[in-house]
Amino acid sequence: MTYHPKSDFISVMMERGYLADCTDYQGLDEALMTPGQSAYIGFDATATSLHVGSLIQIMMLRWFQKTGHKPITLMGGGTTKVGDPSFRADERPLLTDDQIDSNIAGIKKVFAAYIDYDTGAENSAMMLNNAEWLDDLNYLTFLRDIGRHFSVNRMLSFESVKSRLDREQSLSFLEFNYMILQAYDFLELNRRYGCVLQMGGSDQWGNIVNGIDLTRRVLDHEIYGLTSPLLTTSDGKKMGKSQNGAIWLNSDMLSPYEFWQFWRNTTDADVGRFLKLYTELPVDECNRLGALEGSEVNAAKVILANEVTALLHGRAAAEAAEATAREVFEKGGVGDDLPTLSLSSADLGDGISIVQLIVKSGLAKSGKDAKRLIAENGAKIDDKPLTDAGLMIDAAALASPIKLSAGKKRHALVQLDG
C-alpha cells in the first residue's frame, strides 16, 4: 500500500503490521488528526477469560489511547446471547445471563493492564456493555426502524455467512440476527458517544461494514471501519492455541510463567513480527531483534517474552518467570514459579501412576498421550529419562517435590500437601 498517513494512530497501525483493511484510509486518517476521537472493539463473553488471539485487538485499543484518542471496550452482554456465526461450522452453545455476567467479570480484569479508564483526560477510555441497549429492544419497533435497512440478499453474500451455507451447515435465524445487532451497536455508540471507528479482526469485516451502512442511513453520519489480520504463526497454526489448549490472559487460568513460556517458545520466523505487534519496543529494534539468527535469536525471544508478560502481568512477574526459566533450563534446578500440582494424601492413596501424574500436571492431554511421550523418550523425572510407564509414585517418593518434564521446554512440579 502506498498511502502515507498523517495521523499518529494510522502510522503506528501501518508501521507495526496491525492493518488488514480499512473502509476509507484517507477519511479516517484525516478524522484522527483531531485528538479525542472514539473507537470501539466488541468482546463477546463466551469464556471467563480472553486468550492470546484477542491480544492484537487489545493492543490496538492501547495504541489508540496512546496516540491521543478515546478507546471504548464494548462488552457483549447482549450479543453473547445470540452468538457470532462468523466462520464457524456450528452454533455456539447458549449461555445463561448468570454465565455471561460471570464471564464479563473475568474478562474485565485484563483490560485494566492495558488501558486507562475514567482518568478525566481527553483520551480516557470507557467500558460499556451492549446489553444496556439490546436487552430491552421492542421487536416490532426494531424490525421497522432498523431491520428495513438490511438486504437479506446482501447479508447472504458476506463470506462469513456464505462459507457456512456453501458447506450446507445449518445457520439458525438466531445467529443470522447477529450481524444486525452488531451493526446496531455501532449506530448506538455513534449516537450516544460520537464513536467514529469500529475495529476488529478481518473476520469481522462484513459486520463492520453493515454498521457503517446502517449509521449512514439512519443518522447520515460518516464513520469508519478498520480490521487487523487474523494471525497465524509461521507454521500455519492459529494464534492463541498451544499444545495444551488456549493461552488465556487471566492469571487464574494460566500462570504468568506459562504465559511467558508461550512467548519464549515462539518460532524464529515470528519473533520480529510479534515484537512489533505485542510489545511497544521501537520498530527499528523489533526489526533488529527479528533478524538475529542461530543462538542469538533466543535472546530476542526472551526479550519478547519479558515485554509481553510485563504488559499483562507486570515487570516483576516477567522477571520472576525469566529467573525460573533460567534456573530450570540452564541449571537443571527447580524454579519457584513452575506450574505445580499439589496432591493430598487422599489423592495419593496407596500410590498414583506416573501416567496419571503427567496428565494431571498438564504435560499430556490423556493417558494415551502420556504413554506415547514415555515410549518416545520425551519424558523425564527429576531430569532423568523416564522409561517405565507402569511406575507408581507413593508418599515416600514425594517426600520432596518431584519435577516432571515433557521434552526440553515443558516442566511441572508435583508435591504432597502438608
Side-chain angles (χ1 to χ4, degrees), residues 163-181:
S163 59
R164 179 102 156 246
L165 298 178
D166 286 349
R167 294 192 300 267
E168 296 185 3
Q169 289 159 334
S170 172
L171 178 73
S172 73
F173 180 66
L174 174 69
E175 294 175 286
F176 194 55
N177 278 271
Y178 186 91
M179 66 175 76
I180 301 179
L181 295 178

Side-chain angles (χ1 to χ4, degrees), residues 342-349 415-417:
S342 296
L343 296 173
S344 67
S345 300
D347 292 329
L348 196 60
Q415 65 184 21
L416 195 57
D417 275 345

Side-chain angles (χ1 to χ4, degrees), residues 20-289:
D21 217 337
C22 180
T23 53
D24 178 359
Y25 285 103
Q26 194 166 348
L28 176 59
D29 193 28
E30 287 171 2
L32 294 180
M33 292 297 289
T34 305
Q37 298 296 323
S38 297
Y40 92 96
I41 299 178
F43 298 88
D44 276 349
T46 53
T48 53
S49 170
L50 299 173
H51 62 66
V52 161
S54 297
L55 197 49
I56 190 167
Q57 270 77 51
I58 297 171
M59 288 298 292
M60 288 165 80
L61 288 173
R62 180 177 171 87
W63 279 113
F64 195 71
Q65 186 168 46
K66 283 173 74 77
T67 52
H69 302 292
K70 291 173 68 74
I72 297 173
T73 312
L74 184 66
M75 295 288 110
T79 40
T80 306
K81 293 170 186 172
V82 174
D84 185 359
S86 297
F87 299 99
R88 284 182 62 87
D90 52 10
E91 190 168 351
R92 293 180 187 273
L94 292 178
L95 302 179
T96 66
D97 287 1
D98 286 347
Q99 285 173 312
I100 291 169
D101 289 344
S102 173
N103 288 350
I104 287 175
I107 288 169
K108 279 182 174 181
K109 294 175 189 173
V110 165
F111 288 101
Y114 292 91
I115 297 164
D116 291 328
Y117 294 93
D118 304 319
T119 61
E122 189 176 35
N123 65 337
S124 176
M126 300 174 72
M127 183 174 283
L128 303 170
N129 185 335
N130 62 16
E132 187 184 328
W133 51 83
L134 294 181
D135 271 5
D136 297 322
L137 284 176
N138 179 293
Y139 188 57
L140 285 177
T141 304
F142 185 72
L143 284 180
R144 285 171 64 90
D145 293 348
I146 303 300
R148 66 192 178 88
H149 295 294
F150 287 84
S151 156
V152 171
N153 310 53
R154 186 154 183 265
M155 290 165 76
L156 289 172
S157 74
F158 283 116
E159 193 57 38
S160 57
V161 172
K162 191 167 172 289
S163 59
R164 179 102 156 246
L165 298 178
D166 286 349
R167 294 192 300 267
E168 296 185 3
Q169 289 159 334
S170 172
L171 178 73
S172 73
F173 180 66
L174 174 69
E175 294 175 286
F176 194 55
N177 278 271
Y178 186 91
M179 66 175 76
I180 301 179
L181 295 178
Q182 185 170 327
Y184 186 68
D185 282 346
F186 203 174
L187 169 67
E188 279 296 313
L189 288 170
N190 180 259
R191 180 157 42 201
R192 294 173 182 225
Y193 305 103
C195 181
V196 297
L197 172 63
Q198 183 184 355
M199 302 186 288
S202 56
D203 60 338
Q204 294 298 310
W205 180 255
N207 292 338
I208 291 172
V209 168
N210 270 328
I212 292 169
D213 287 348
L214 177 64
T215 306
R216 284 177 182 162
R217 287 168 186 263
V218 176
L219 300 177
D220 196 25
H221 288 178
E222 190 68 28
I223 57 175
Y224 308 93
L226 181 152
T227 58
S228 61
L230 283 186
L231 271 197
T232 54
T233 53
S234 58
D235 54 4
K237 290 180 181 153
K238 192 174 178 183
M239 186 67 183
K241 302 285 184 183
S242 75
Q243 200 169 347
N244 288 340
I247 301 300
W248 300 107
L249 301 183
N250 285 25
S251 59
D252 57 345
M253 293 180 70
L254 189 81
S255 73
Y257 174 78
E258 290 169 291
F259 183 77
W260 188 93
Q261 272 298 332
F262 170 77
W263 296 99
R264 169 61 182 82
N265 294 339
T266 295
T267 311
D268 294 4
D270 289 325
V271 172
R273 184 168 61 125
F274 287 0
L275 281 163
K276 281 188 272 195
L277 289 169
Y278 298 109
T279 82
E280 292 175 344
L281 292 177
V283 171
D284 288 348
E285 178 68 357
C286 297
N287 288 333
R288 182 188 75 78
L289 291 168

